[in-house]
Amino acid sequence: MRVVSNARVLVIEDAEAIGAAVCSALRAVGYEVQHRLDGRQLETDLSKFRPDLVVLDVMLPGRDGFRLLDVIRKSSGAGIVMLTARDGVTDRLRGLESGADDYVGKPFVLAELVARVTAVLRRLGRTPSTVQIDDLVVDAESGVVLRGQSTIELTATELRLLCYLAAQRGRVVSKTQILTAVWGYEDYDPNLVEVHVSALRRKLEEHGPRLLHTVRGLGYVLRAEE
């Protein structure tokens, strides 16, 4: 059985660079994502795109995030993660009391935002936590990794890395993509990725044939051999 997440995420963020980065990080772990710079077509998106979760900036042109939150809560069961530069307790409480599921202040680490989005989707039952590739089973929610009948013990970083690779199974991902998705930044020594990939590969191969492959000059891919 191979589980694929079809969860849909709508990102409403008026800063194009931030919105693009958020969308890229969410797509990297398998979500279907649409980005809007404001909430003018929110009602249409709710009925046609039917998001499972909305990443919603508070400071928006036109209707602000709190007004859009009310619209979402009245017409949709989508999860809501508020995203804002405001870090005051009053704003956080207002968002949560109005029905937001989580609240992330700017600046933020992309990996943390993705983790919070995933956590909300899981609580809502909108995304599977288990992925299987050949005889490897990865349960991101419980942190359990099985190969055949054997449990594989991983560090927290190795588990995040494996969950990312499992979400991208069959696709080659670069060291930069891995740094962004797993560590939350791309401006860092790529040797960090090599060290953790090597450690993860050794643990996986203690219990079966190679699943984590190096694609020279491009990156890494998690897949079963044909």
Side-chain angles (χ1 to χ4, degrees):
M1 179 180 66
R2 300 173 187 270
V3 181
V4 179
S5 173
N6 292 316
R8 296 178 296 275
V9 180
L10 175 65
V11 177
I12 306 179
E13 164 60 66
D14 64 325
E16 292 193 41
I18 294 175
V22 170
C23 291
S24 178
L26 291 169
R27 290 189 182 108
V29 294
Y31 298 128
E32 182 181 347
V33 185
Q34 289 193 7
H35 178 210
R36 301 287 181 257
L37 297 175
D38 55 47
R40 284 181 295 178
Q41 65 179 70
L42 175 62
E43 287 83 354
T44 299
D45 285 328
L46 292 176
S47 63
K48 292 189 175 181
F49 181 54
R50 293 179 290 109
D52 296 294
L53 183 140
V54 181
V55 175
L56 179 61
D57 188 27
V58 169
M59 302 296 290
L60 292 168
R63 294 183 293 179
D64 68 15
F66 293 119
R67 292 178 63 188
L68 296 179
L69 187 155
D70 290 337
V71 172
I72 296 168
R73 279 289 162 260
K74 289 176 181 176
S75 58
S76 170
I80 300 173
V81 175
M82 302 291 283
L83 186 64
T84 180
R86 293 179 174 178
D87 58 2
V89 173
T90 300
D91 283 330
R92 290 177 181 269
L93 289 176
R94 180 182 175 188
L96 295 172
E97 290 173 354
S98 298
D101 296 282
D102 205 347
Y103 206 111
V104 179
K106 300 175 183 177
F108 55 87
V109 175
L110 284 171
E112 179 185 0
L113 176 61
V114 171
R116 287 174 178 262
V117 166
T118 299
V120 171
L121 287 167
R122 285 185 188 140
R123 289 201 300 270
L124 297 174
R126 304 293 178 87
T127 184
S129 65
T130 302
V131 175
Q132 182 169 342
I133 302 96
D134 198 37
D135 64 343
L136 175 69
V137 178
V138 182
D139 189 329
E141 186 170 356
S142 68
V144 173
V145 177
L146 301 173
R147 186 137 200 215
Q149 301 300 313
S150 302
T151 300
I152 301 177
E153 299 295 334
L154 301 178
T155 67
T157 300
E158 289 167 352
L159 179 62
R160 290 198 306 272
L161 173 60
L162 180 58
C163 287
Y164 173 67
L165 292 169
Q168 300 299 311
R169 57 202 174 280
R171 292 192 288 268
V172 178
V173 291
S174 68
K175 293 177 183 177
T176 299
Q177 288 174 304
I178 293 172
L179 280 168
T180 301
V182 178
W183 281 273
Y185 45 77
E186 59 183 47
D187 185 17
Y188 206 80
D189 186 352
N191 288 332
L192 179 69
V193 175
E194 294 178 11
V195 169
H196 284 86
V197 166
S198 295
L200 176 60
R201 179 183 284 141
R202 283 196 301 271
K203 290 183 179 181
L204 294 178
E205 291 182 9
E206 287 176 359
H207 304 279
R210 177 161 294 190
L211 292 175
L212 178 49
H213 307 273
T214 299
V215 181
R216 192 171 299 278
L218 295 176
Y220 304 97
V221 59
L222 189 68
R223 68 179 176 221
E225 291 289 17
E226 298 296 333

